[in-house]
Amino acid sequence: MRRPLPTSLEETAIPARQNLSTMPKPAPAHTEPAIAVLSQVHVCLGAREVLQGLNLSLNQGEIFALLGRNGTGKTTLMRLMTGQLQPTSGEVRVFGGNPGREAAPRRLMSLVPQEIALYPRLTVRENLEIMAGMAGLPKREIPTRVAEAMALVQVEGRQSDLIDHLSGGYKRRANIAAALLTRPRLLLLDEPSVGVDVDARLSLHRALRQLRDDGASILLTTHDLDEARVLADRIGILASGRMTEEGPVGDILRRMFGDRREVVVTLSREPGDTVKSALERLGLAPTANPLEWTSWSAGVEGFGALPAALRRHGIDLHEIRLREPGLEHVLAHVEGTRS
C-alpha cells in the first residue's frame, strides 16, 4: 500500500509580481536512464508535418508538463508514447521498448484522457471494479486496488454515487483513479484540471505529487500556466512541431530574460494619439489593455525616473510597477518568434 497523502494543501495562486527566488526548486539531477526517450521524431499526418525532429526525455519520478497552443503536437506526442501512433521517422522508446510494436511498455503506463471515460449510470466503485477486471487484475486483488486508487485521489467518500451525479471535479478524480488501478510507472494526463474547481484542483495536484514521490513518472498537457509553474519539475513548450524550450521553469526564465524585469504602466484613462506618441517615445509599448503599457528594464536605475517623465508629458498615471517574467512571457516570446 502507498503511504497516506499529506494533509496540508499547497498554495497554487500566484501574485502578479513573481519572484524568481520563490520559484519551485529545479528537479534533482537524475542519474538513472530516462524511462522514455523520443529521438528526432517526425510525424506527418497527410500533407501536414505535425512534429518536426522532436527530442524529449522523461525521467523516473518527475512531473513533466507540456505547454503550447492547440495544434502544436501535444496530443500527437501522447499518442506516440502510448503506441497509438507510429512516427514517420525517428525513434520512440518507453521503458526500453517500442510502445507501438510491443505490449510490455504499454502495460507499465496509463493514459487519462481529457474526456471522462466512465459509465455515467454506474457508481464510482462499480466503474473501478469493472475497469480493474478489464485490465486483467486478479479477482482477489481488485478490492485492494480499488480502495487504494480511491484513497489516492480522495474519492472514497463518493464511491456509492453515480458518476452522472458527481461534480466535474469528482468525475475527474474518478477518471484518474481508474488509470491508477494498475499502479502504472508512467501516467499520462491530457488537461487533468479542465473544468474543475479550486478544491478539486488542489486534490489532483496533491495526488500527482504523491505518485511522483512514490517513483511514478507523470507527463501532462495543460493550458494552465499556474498549474505548470507550481506542479511540474520540468516543462516543455511545443511550437510548430518542435520543443522550443525545455527545463525547470526557473532555469528557462533566467536563460530567456536574465535580470530583465517588465515595467508595467497603468494609465488613469485611455490615451489619445498625442499621449500614445509620448508613451512610445519613452520606450513603452501598448498591450491588449488600452490602459496598460509595458517595456523591459535590465535594472531599477531608470525605473525611479519614469513617473516624473510621464508627468512631464502630461500623462495621467494610475500605477507603475516592476513585474518578474513568468511563463506567459515565455509563451509570448516563443510564439512571437515562431509566427
Side-chain angles (χ1 to χ4, degrees):
M1 293 289 292
R2 303 180 195 276
R3 60 183 178 273
L5 286 171
T7 55
S8 61
L9 300 180
E10 293 200 32
E11 182 63 53
T12 59
I14 57 172
R17 305 175 193 180
Q18 299 176 7
N19 189 311
L20 288 181
S21 65
T22 66
M23 299 296 290
K25 297 292 188 293
H30 288 268
T31 57
E32 299 179 12
I35 64 160
V37 178
L38 283 72
S39 304
Q40 285 298 306
V41 169
H42 292 256
V43 173
C44 296
L45 300 177
R48 179 172 169 240
E49 192 171 21
V50 181
L51 296 179
Q52 305 176 40
L54 185 139
N55 295 297
L56 171 67
S57 64
L58 184 64
N59 300 312
Q60 180 178 344
E62 75 167 346
I63 299 175
F64 191 103
L66 279 172
L67 306 176
R69 288 179 176 176
N70 290 334
T72 56
K74 300 189 299 296
T75 300
T76 298
L77 192 153
M78 290 269 198
R79 293 177 64 198
L80 286 168
M81 294 186 66
T82 55
Q84 301 173 63
L85 181 69
Q86 288 275 49
T88 305
S89 64
E91 186 176 37
V92 178
R93 307 290 290 180
V94 183
F95 298 113
N98 182 337
R101 297 194 176 120
E102 303 170 42
R106 296 195 298 271
R107 285 195 290 265
L108 298 173
M109 68 177 85
S110 286
L111 172 66
V112 183
Q114 185 172 338
E115 301 78 19
I116 302 300
L118 300 170
Y119 297 106
R121 300 304 300 169
L122 295 179
T123 68
V124 172
R125 175 172 282 279
E126 289 168 342
N127 266 279
L128 296 182
E129 288 173 343
I130 289 173
M131 299 287 180
M134 293 170 61
L137 293 177
K139 191 172 182 179
R140 65 182 181 279
E141 290 187 23
I142 289 177
T144 297
R145 296 291 188 95
V146 168
E148 179 183 285
M150 288 193 299
L152 189 56
V153 297
Q154 295 186 326
V155 78
E156 60 268 61
R158 308 298 297 272
Q159 61 183 288
S160 299
D161 291 359
L162 298 179
I163 294 296
D164 226 9
H165 294 172
L166 296 178
S167 67
Y170 272 103
K171 287 178 182 177
R172 188 74 60 188
R173 295 189 207 189
N175 213 36
I176 293 177
L180 299 179
L181 292 166
T182 59
R183 297 174 180 165
R185 290 175 56 194
L186 171 60
L187 184 64
L188 302 102
L189 305 103
D190 190 6
E191 299 285 348
S193 60
V194 165
V196 304
D197 59 29
V198 173
D199 287 342
R201 181 174 178 236
L202 287 168
S203 178
L204 290 175
H205 288 185
R206 201 164 52 241
L208 294 178
R209 290 190 186 96
Q210 183 66 46
L211 286 166
R212 176 198 59 193
D213 294 345
D214 285 345
S217 302
I218 296 168
L219 177 69
L220 62 93
T221 68
T222 182
H223 285 92
D224 187 331
L225 301 187
D226 290 356
E227 179 168 71
R229 186 187 68 85
V230 302
L231 187 60
D233 300 302
R234 288 190 298 144
I235 67 165
I237 300 176
L238 281 172
S240 302
R242 299 180 184 275
M243 194 73 75
T244 57
E245 292 290 338
E246 180 274 317
V249 173
D251 289 0
I252 292 174
L253 292 173
R254 281 184 284 270
R255 182 167 66 244
M256 187 172 288
F257 297 102
D259 63 351
R260 292 189 301 154
R261 302 293 179 266
E262 187 181 33
V263 178
V264 182
V265 171
T266 305
L267 307 177
S268 297
R269 58 173 179 256
E270 192 167 338
D273 291 340
T274 301
V275 171
K276 288 179 181 178
S277 297
L279 289 165
E280 290 170 353
R281 287 196 300 273
L282 290 171
L284 294 158
T287 68
N289 179 353
L291 296 178
E292 192 170 275
W293 290 64
T294 65
S295 68
W296 286 88
S297 171
V300 297
E301 292 79 10
F303 178 72
L306 187 56
L310 291 166
R311 284 192 291 270
R312 281 199 301 273
H313 285 83
I315 297 171
D316 292 329
L317 177 64
H318 172 70
E319 183 185 38
I320 182 170
R321 66 188 188 276
L322 282 176
R323 184 163 63 191
E324 299 279 356
L327 280 178
E328 66 277 14
H329 298 104
V330 175
L331 285 176
H333 175 81
V334 167
E335 291 167 355
T337 59
R338 290 276 166 177
S339 59

